[in-house]
Amino acid sequence: MKKLLILITALSLLAGCKTVMDTPKSIPMGSWNYRLYMNGAEMGSAVLTYEEKANLYISTMTMSITAGPVQSTSKEVVTETKSFVPVKLEIYNQVISNGSTQNIDIVAVFNGKDIDVTAGGNTARITIDKPFVLGGNYLAKALLDKNFEKNSSASADIYSPSLELEDTVKVEERVIGVETVSINGKEENLIHIKQIMEDFQESEIHIDSKGVVRKMRTLMLNNLMELVIDK
């Protein structure tokens, strides 16, 4: 009877155990390389870089994709203050196909609610009369302040001229919980975050205990893009 009670107690403890992990304590700074998959096929690479300079956060994402004879590269640089006030947004795209090169660049400079947007050599001033941030570190910091607790969430109006030139896009991030995920053949305990960008795209993001993205899957226009951290 004593052995049976010990066994029941042990099973009860196991049943009550949950996968736990340390949560990020700050926004991670550094640079990380990723393999890029499109609809399951490896098609390129990406690099995420986060820097601090004086009173600024600078976030850079570069991607290179090869699809048959078409090669495309993109680079997005987000510059914001450490209180998440927008300073500058740079988007550079280049597509090379059959010996022809096309560049599509957008640069936005912010002065409060006024935005000077330059594209194709032309500059226009846009005014947005509501609070907004950039797609940099604001939501990450908001979830960090909530200790990435399960079901905690944060949302913001984000300016992204490649999606909406004269308006913002509502973005929400919600913590799903801690999950065990296979990364490069090894199982890792990661925090699962779901990001919904209004009517444009949905992303499933997995970060480690330092806040570094280990895996991200984004569904947009019926195409699935996946980033997996390189070894």
Side-chain angles (χ1 to χ4, degrees), residues 10 26 82 85 90 115 123 145-146 171 183 185 191 210 215:
S26 63
K82 289 186 176 179
V85 176
E90 303 163 77
I115 312 169
T123 300
D145 288 344
K146 297 179 181 180
V171 178
I183 305 290
I191 299 171
K210 294 181 180 179
K215 186 176 184 178

Side-chain angles (χ1 to χ4, degrees), residues 182-196:
S182 178
I183 305 290
N184 299 319
K186 290 182 59 178
E187 291 191 341
E188 301 182 14
N189 290 336
L190 302 173
I191 299 171
H192 179 189
I193 299 168
K194 186 178 184 68
Q195 181 191 85
I196 299 176

